[in-house]
Amino acid sequence: MELQEIIGKFAINGNITTVEPLGSGLINDTYRVKTDTPDSYVLQRINHHIFTDVELLQSNIEAVTSHLRAKGARTLILVPLRDSDKTFFFDGENYWRISLYVNGSHTCDAVTPESSYDAGRSFGEFEAMLSDIPVTLGETIPDFHNMELRLQQLKEAVSDDRAERMKRPEVKELVDKMLALADDMCLAERLYREGKLPKRVCHCDTKVNNMLFDDEGKVICVIDLDTVMPGFVFSDYGDFLRTAANTGAEDDTELSRVGFNMEIFRCFTRGFIETTASFLTPLEKENLPYGAQRFAFMQAVRFLADYINGDTYYKVRYPEHNLVRTKAQWRLFESITEHLGEMKAFIASL
Ligand code: GN1
Ligand code: MG
């Protein structure tokens, strides 16, 4: 089916003028649809190999956006189909959805200290506002941020060695380093089993490019709501720092550029703690530095497992892309680890 025909199934205003690729997401395909009216739209082809239950996915997003809107917050506006109130269309092969494009917004891959303080407040508020959502959200990807499962998947990738990439000594070396730290990094899962750590409704993909900013650099709202589900507070805290406080790129080939930016850490942490103070437990607060470590570590594990599996999950631009990403995340993990003492002291002072 042509894109134009697919878009025509949705209740958009006006006639389509252009359809262009948008953003840099690694999972779904995203397009901006302009019309001959002031309204433009975001069209997405949902990756249903990853989000296998699209019905559940969309009903989660509908519940989240209507709860946020009822509290007066800005959030995504899903466009229903013309002939039903469904918010996705299946063309026999692919699943599609459309939301309203927020005029005057842009995404960023880098933040300033001011905008990271703002981002900390926004993600904290996001969790605070969703803490009383009246429905139970389903897990759109079961065990998405479960470290024990992610390590298990890495071990399976190693033993299957489907793409014959284990013969590279540097790959084996990275795997060994990761497995040696497995117990430390599964702290959250242990605390949860011991009944000491709660699960809360989290965003679970708080990459810096998953928020919209206005022309003055202020946060408009949080986007990419596919993974909103119960999780540990570390998910939202850690994934933002993993992307925003990295002095290099997620896939930097020059490891000397990769490191942990303490100023971004301090600003984001201050904002996040201010807006989560009413519910954050002392144990959660004290372990936030671990949360930052955990997400660089988990991402390195996920990239490496995908590399070993032959690049079946993340979009790649060249054959070694996932290995390059792994090394960059690993360098970031090491840098966070070097700053752990300083991070703990800062958090204790707040
Ligand atoms: C994916 O779709 P995107 O690019 O926002 C991934 C995240 C990873 C991230 C790594 C559903 O997010 O979990 O942290 O790539 N989303 C999914 O950049 O796996
Ligand atoms: Mg995204």
Side-chain angles (χ1 to χ4, degrees):
M1 234 174 161
E2 293 282 319
L3 283 185
Q4 304 263 343
E5 202 183 327
I6 290 161
I7 300 164
K9 301 285 177 193
F10 290 85
I12 65 164
N13 291 325
N15 303 299
I16 306 161
T17 52
T18 57
V19 183
E20 283 162 7
L22 178 72
S24 53
L26 299 184
I27 308 293
N28 300 317
D29 295 325
T30 308
Y31 305 86
R32 171 145 181 211
V33 180
K34 290 190 181 161
T35 69
D36 56 4
T37 76
D39 290 341
S40 67
Y41 298 90
V42 178
L43 167 71
Q44 281 192 310
R45 181 172 66 172
I46 301 167
N47 185 329
H48 65 273
H49 302 290
I50 291 178
F51 296 106
T52 50
D53 188 344
V54 177
E55 196 102 34
L56 170 80
L57 175 74
Q58 290 304 100
S59 87
N60 267 8
I61 299 177
E62 286 162 29
V64 167
T65 53
S66 46
H67 192 70
L68 292 175
R69 224 175 343 263
K71 295 200 169 186
R74 283 187 82 177
T75 183
L76 287 184
I77 298 178
L78 294 171
V79 178
L81 298 183
R82 286 194 194 280
D83 58 8
S84 82
D85 56 7
K86 263 199 158 128
T87 59
F88 65 90
F89 172 68
F90 181 57
D91 68 7
E93 198 181 336
N94 287 299
Y95 292 85
W96 302 86
R97 68 180 167 207
I98 288 188
S99 59
L100 196 63
Y101 182 88
V102 180
N103 285 328
S105 72
H106 63 270
T107 56
C108 301
D109 283 305
V111 285
T112 61
E114 297 74 48
S115 66
S116 53
Y117 167 75
D118 226 27
R121 289 196 59 95
S122 302
F123 281 124
E125 269 161 12
F126 183 85
E127 284 186 13
M129 283 187 290
L130 291 178
S131 61
D132 61 348
I133 189 166
V135 295
T136 306
L137 298 176
E139 290 196 31
T140 52
I141 300 178
D143 284 316
F144 185 48
H145 279 172
N146 182 327
M147 188 73 93
E148 291 168 346
L149 174 89
R150 295 299 179 187
L151 286 160
Q152 186 53 38
Q153 289 172 332
L154 176 65
K155 287 185 201 158
E156 281 162 20
V158 170
S159 67
D160 295 349
D161 194 16
R162 273 186 270 162
E164 296 181 9
R165 287 175 161 174
M166 283 310 298
K167 54 178 179 264
R168 298 185 57 158
E170 56 179 342
V171 175
K172 167 93 174 52
E173 214 173 281
L174 279 161
V175 169
D176 291 345
K177 282 188 192 168
M178 289 174 186
L179 296 181
L181 289 170
D183 278 352
D184 291 350
M185 289 301 119
C186 293
L187 173 68
E189 285 72 18
R190 277 199 305 281
L191 290 174
Y192 178 70
R193 269 196 296 274
E194 291 164 9
K196 296 178 185 157
L197 186 69
K199 281 201 182 179
R200 311 181 179 284
V201 174
C202 294
H203 181 278
C204 293
D205 191 10
T206 54
K207 279 165 81 163
V208 59
N209 61 20
N210 280 335
M211 6 185 49
L212 295 180
F213 294 89
D214 67 16
D215 293 340
E216 276 143 38
K218 290 260 168 232
V219 177
I220 302 176
C221 65
V222 170
I223 56 169
D224 198 347
L225 305 176
D226 293 333
T227 52
V228 178
M229 60 177 122
F232 304 128
V233 85
F234 308 134
S235 290
D236 289 357
Y237 180 80
D239 230 10
F240 180 86
L241 289 175
R242 181 184 74 74
T243 50
N246 183 351
T247 53
E250 186 177 71
D251 57 355
D252 223 309
T253 48
E254 190 48 70
L255 293 183
S256 64
R257 281 195 291 250
V258 176
F260 193 60
N261 182 327
M262 283 297 287
E263 190 176 10
I264 298 295
F265 155 78
R266 281 190 290 268
C267 295
F268 178 75
T269 302
R270 198 177 300 121
F272 189 78
I273 289 188
E274 276 173 19
T275 46
T276 54
S278 62
F279 59 84
L280 211 60
T281 68
L283 191 70
E284 285 176 309
K285 184 176 166 190
E286 178 189 312
N287 280 298
L288 288 176
Y290 155 71
Q293 262 189 315
R294 173 177 165 94
F295 275 84
F297 183 89
M298 188 185 293
Q299 197 60 61
V301 169
R302 292 176 64 192
F303 282 148
L304 187 58
D306 197 35
Y307 177 73
I308 298 170
N309 283 333
D311 312 315
T312 58
Y313 189 92
Y314 292 109
K315 291 182 194 170
V316 287
R317 286 198 312 276
Y318 52 92
E320 302 294 280
H321 204 166
N322 273 319
L323 184 60
V324 166
R325 287 169 172 153
T326 306
K327 290 181 189 164
Q329 287 300 297
W330 191 255
R331 177 67 204 107
L332 178 67
F333 168 73
E334 289 175 334
S335 178
I336 299 173
T337 305
E338 285 156 20
H339 286 98
L340 222 51
E342 220 182 310
M343 292 163 77
K344 285 183 182 159
F346 177 77
I347 289 177
S349 78
L350 289 178

